[in-house]
Amino acid sequence: MASGSYSPDQPSKEAFRAALAASCSGTAFADRLVSLGRYQRLNKGLALAGDADHDRLVFLAAGAAKLVARSPAMLLTGQSRAGLVTNMQVLAFHFAGDMICVLREGNADFRLIALADCELLAFPTERFLDTAQTEPAVLRWVLAHNLQALHRSRTRMMQMGHKSARQRIADFLVSMAERLGDCSTEACRLLLPMSRRDIGESLGLTIETVSRQFTELREAGLIATEGRSLVQLLDLPGLVRVAGHVPATRTVQLI
Amino acid sequence: MASGSYSPDQPSKEAFRAALAASCSGTAFADRLVSLGRYQRLNKGLALAGDADHDRLVFLAAGAAKLVARSPAMLLTGQSRAGLVTNMQVLAFHFAGDMICVLREGNADFRLIALADCELLAFPTERFLDTAQTEPAVLRWVLAHNLQALHRSRTRMMQMGHKSARQRIADFLVSMAERLGDCSTEACRLLLPMSRRDIGESLGLTIETVSRQFTELREAGLIATEGRSLVQLLDLPGLVRVAGHVPATRTVQLI
DNA sequence: CGCAGTCTTGAGACAGATCAACTCACGTGG
DNA sequence: CCACGTGAGTTGATCTGTCTCAAGACTGCG
C-alpha cells in the first residue's frame, strides 16, 4: 500500500471500478466501496473460505467459478473423505464480471469453488450495502445482478422440471455460448472450464448420462469435441431446437 | 377518489405500507410509492395480465398465487386449447405479504396466477426503483425479497437435482408449513391453496406420482388428509427426516 | 513413460412417467 | 335438501429414461 511496491490486486480493483462505472458514475465513491473488499486469488479447485456469520458479495474479476451447495444430510458422512462421498449440487456457474451472492453457511452450506485460477474481491454484504445506501445506483446494480441470477436460476428450474437429459445438455451448451459469447452465428468454439461432473451436478444428471449425451450430439453432427474441454457448436439453431423441443409426448399436434 | 366514496383498495395499500414500514420509516414516502402502484383484484384461477415491455414488481396484499412459466416450444401448440395442452412449470408459490418480481414477457413468458382470490398492487419496476432511489432502505427491502426468492429458487433446484419424489413432497410440506406458519411444533393443519397438479408442476413430478406419495406418507402415519386441500402434518420431525434423507445409495456409511 | 484421474461405453435395475379405469369431492340446479 | 355431473384425485399395469455398477480407453500431468 505504501510507496512504489507492486500491488497484485490493482487490476482486479480496476475491473471492479469499470464494472461499477458502467452503471453509475462517481469514481471517488467506487474507491470507497473497493476499500471495503478483500482481494483474493483463488487457485483452480480451491474453495473460497466459508463464513458462518455473514453473507458476502463477491465480485469475480477474472477466472471462472462454480457456486455449489451440499445438503445437510450429507454432512454427517462427509467428515473424512468429503470430496468423494458427498454429491454436491452446482447452483450456478460464474465468469469474469459477475457479482455473486454467497449466503452465509446456514442450513445448507454454499461455497464458491474456482474452476480456473480466479481473482476476486469479497465484500461483507451488510457493510457493502450500508455504504452503497448513499449511492442508490450501486444498490440497483447489485439488484440487477441479483435479478439476473434469479432469472437464470428459474430458467434452470424449468429445465430440471420437465426436460430430458438431451434437452438439458443442449440448453446448457447454448446458454454457455451466450455467456462466454465468443461466437456469433456460425460454428463457435467453447472452452468449457468445468468438468463433466460439474455439468452433471448442475443439471441433475450423472456423469455417465452427460457423457452419453455428448456422444449422441456428436453423432448427430450438432457438436464436435476435442480433448476434454473444447466443444465446437456446429449447428447452434439445431441445438436450440433440440433444447426447446418437447420430449416424446404427443403434446405437439393438436391444431 | 373524491369525497367519502368507498375505496376498496384501501386495505391493500395499508398492508403495503405496513410491510414497508417494517423495514424502513417514513410514511409520507410510502404514500408516494403507493401512488405508483395499480390496485387490482384477481379472482381465483385468473392470471395477471402480462406485459411485454416492462418488468413489474407485484405486492401481494392478500390471497395466494403461483408464478408459472411455459417454455416457448409449447406456445406453438397452445393456440386453441392452451389450458389442457401446455405443461407449465410452477416457479414459485406466493402468499400475502410477498413482493414478487414478474419479468417482462421475453423468451419464456411468466405469469402470475391466483390460487385464491387475491388483492395486489402492481408497480412498473423501473419507475418504482427510480422513486425508491431517494430512500435506499426501500431498495434494500426489495433486494432482500429478491435474495429470499433466489435462495428459495436455489433450494428448490437442489431438490430437483438429487431428490426422490418422496423427499420432494415431504420437503414441500415442511416448507409450506414454515411459510403459512399456522403451526408450532405439534400437529399442524395446512389448508393448501394449490391443486395436486400445481404441486406436481412445481416439483417436476406428475400428478399421479404426487398422489401416490401423499398416500404413502398417509400410510406411514406422517400426515393425514381431509378433503382435497386440508393436510395435517402429524409428525413434522419425521417429515424433515424424510425430506433430507439421502435416497437408497450407500453414500451413508463410510466412517 | 507411466500413473491418476477423467471420460467413455456397455449391461442391467429401478424410479417415475404414461396410459387407462375408477372413485370421490364439491358446486350446481332441480 | 338431495340427486347429479364435472373435474380433481386415486389406484393399478406397463413402459421407458436415467441411474447404477463395472470395465475399459483416453488425457494430461509429473
Side-chain angles (χ1 to χ4, degrees):
Chain A
M1 273 297 159
S3 48
S5 70
Y6 174 64
S7 194
D9 56 351
Q10 276 314 316
S12 287
K13 296 191 171 172
E14 216 42 66
F16 178 72
R17 279 194 205 90
L20 212 56
S23 52
C24 54
S25 50
T27 56
F29 186 75
D31 288 335
R32 231 177 67 232
L33 281 176
V34 164
S35 71
L36 290 176
R38 201 158 62 80
Y39 170 81
Q40 206 164 339
R41 295 217 67 201
L42 202 58
N43 286 327
K44 181 174 176 173
L46 293 182
L48 183 66
D51 190 321
D53 300 328
H54 303 286
D55 295 342
R56 275 174 307 174
L57 285 170
V58 176
F59 177 75
L60 189 57
K66 59 179 176 179
L67 184 66
V68 306
R70 37 180 192 179
S71 51
M74 323 266 176
L75 292 177
L76 299 171
T77 80
Q79 255 74 349
S80 47
R81 311 181 46 206
L84 291 174
V85 180
T86 50
N87 51 352
M88 307 224 188
Q89 170 73 30
V90 173
L91 297 174
F93 293 113
H94 286 287
F95 304 101
D98 285 355
M99 190 72 170
I100 309 154
C101 228
V102 184
L103 296 174
R104 79 172 69 84
E105 299 189 1
N107 308 320
D109 69 325
F110 299 94
R111 305 175 83 103
L112 191 67
I113 300 182
L115 293 169
D117 294 353
C118 287
E119 308 203 4
L120 43 84
L121 292 173
F123 303 92
T125 302
E126 289 299 322
R127 283 184 58 205
F128 184 91
L129 293 180
D130 287 342
T131 305
Q133 298 267 52
T134 52
E135 190 75 31
V138 178
L139 276 183
R140 272 183 89 156
W141 180 66
V142 175
L143 186 60
H145 265 279
N146 244 88
L147 266 171
Q148 180 82 350
L150 180 61
H151 184 245
R152 269 204 283 266
S153 174
R154 287 186 164 163
T155 307
R156 273 290 214 45
M157 255 184 68
M158 284 181 57
Q159 284 185 38
M160 322 253 308
H162 299 290
K163 290 193 174 180
S164 68
R166 174 78 54 88
Q167 292 179 297
R168 291 183 213 191
I169 296 291
D171 191 293
F172 166 80
L173 289 171
V174 171
S175 71
M176 278 303 131
E178 280 170 1
R179 291 184 71 182
L180 298 178
D182 45 355
C183 64
S184 43
T185 36
E186 355 138 28
C188 78
R189 303 163 71 80
L190 283 178
L191 204 67
L192 297 178
M194 70 289 282
S195 68
R196 300 281 188 272
R197 175 173 300 279
D198 291 326
I199 298 173
E201 282 173 351
S202 97
L203 261 31
L205 300 171
T206 59
I207 178 176
E208 293 97 328
T209 300
V210 173
S211 186
R212 272 186 262 268
Q213 295 307 327
F214 266 88
T215 302
E216 288 175 32
L217 285 175
R218 195 190 313 121
E219 286 170 351
L222 292 169
I223 64 169
T225 58
E226 201 181 315
R228 271 174 195 164
S229 54
L230 187 70
V231 180
Q232 260 190 79
L233 309 192
L234 301 175
D235 180 6
L236 204 46
L239 282 171
V240 171
R241 211 184 55 247
V242 171
H245 190 50
V246 199
T249 340
R250 66 200 48 78
T251 334
V252 187
Q253 245 98 348
L254 262 176
I255 298 177
Chain B
M1 272 297 159
S3 47
S5 70
Y6 174 62
S7 193
D9 57 352
Q10 277 312 317
S12 287
K13 298 192 171 173
E14 216 41 69
F16 177 71
R17 279 193 205 89
L20 212 56
S23 52
C24 54
S25 50
T27 56
F29 186 76
D31 289 335
R32 230 175 69 231
L33 281 176
V34 163
S35 70
L36 290 176
R38 201 158 64 80
Y39 170 81
Q40 206 164 338
R41 296 216 68 202
L42 202 59
N43 286 329
K44 181 173 178 173
L46 293 182
L48 182 66
D51 190 321
D53 301 328
H54 302 287
D55 295 342
R56 277 175 306 176
L57 285 171
V58 176
F59 177 75
L60 188 59
K66 59 178 174 179
L67 185 66
V68 307
R70 38 180 191 177
S71 51
M74 323 267 174
L75 293 178
L76 298 171
T77 80
Q79 254 74 346
S80 49
R81 309 182 46 207
L84 290 174
V85 180
T86 50
N87 51 350
M88 307 221 187
Q89 170 72 31
V90 172
L91 297 173
F93 293 114
H94 286 287
F95 304 100
D98 285 356
M99 190 71 168
I100 309 155
C101 228
V102 183
L103 295 175
R104 81 172 67 86
E105 298 188 2
N107 308 321
D109 69 325
F110 299 93
R111 306 173 82 103
L112 193 68
I113 299 182
L115 293 169
D117 294 354
C118 287
E119 309 204 2
L120 44 85
L121 292 174
F123 303 93
T125 302
E126 289 299 322
R127 284 183 59 204
F128 184 91
L129 293 180
D130 286 343
T131 306
Q133 298 266 50
T134 52
E135 190 75 35
V138 178
L139 276 183
R140 273 185 88 156
W141 180 66
V142 175
L143 187 61
H145 264 280
N146 245 89
L147 267 171
Q148 181 81 350
L150 181 60
H151 185 247
R152 267 202 285 265
S153 174
R154 288 185 164 166
T155 307
R156 273 286 214 49
M157 257 184 67
M158 286 180 56
Q159 282 185 40
M160 321 254 308
H162 300 289
K163 289 193 174 180
S164 68
R166 174 77 55 87
Q167 291 180 298
R168 292 183 212 191
I169 295 291
D171 191 292
F172 166 80
L173 289 171
V174 171
S175 71
M176 278 303 131
E178 280 171 359
R179 291 183 71 182
L180 298 177
D182 46 353
C183 63
S184 44
T185 37
E186 355 139 27
C188 78
R189 303 163 72 80
L190 284 179
L191 205 66
L192 298 178
M194 70 289 284
S195 69
R196 299 283 188 269
R197 176 173 300 278
D198 291 327
I199 298 173
E201 282 174 351
S202 96
L203 261 32
L205 300 170
T206 59
I207 178 178
E208 293 96 328
T209 301
V210 173
S211 187
R212 272 185 261 268
Q213 294 308 327
F214 266 88
T215 303
E216 287 174 33
L217 286 175
R218 196 189 313 121
E219 285 171 352
L222 293 170
I223 65 170
T225 58
E226 202 181 315
R228 273 174 196 165
S229 54
L230 187 71
V231 180
Q232 261 190 79
L233 309 191
L234 301 174
D235 180 5
L236 204 46
L239 282 171
V240 171
R241 211 184 53 246
V242 171
H245 190 48
V246 198
T249 339
R250 65 200 50 78
T251 335
V252 188
Q253 245 97 350
L254 261 174
I255 299 177

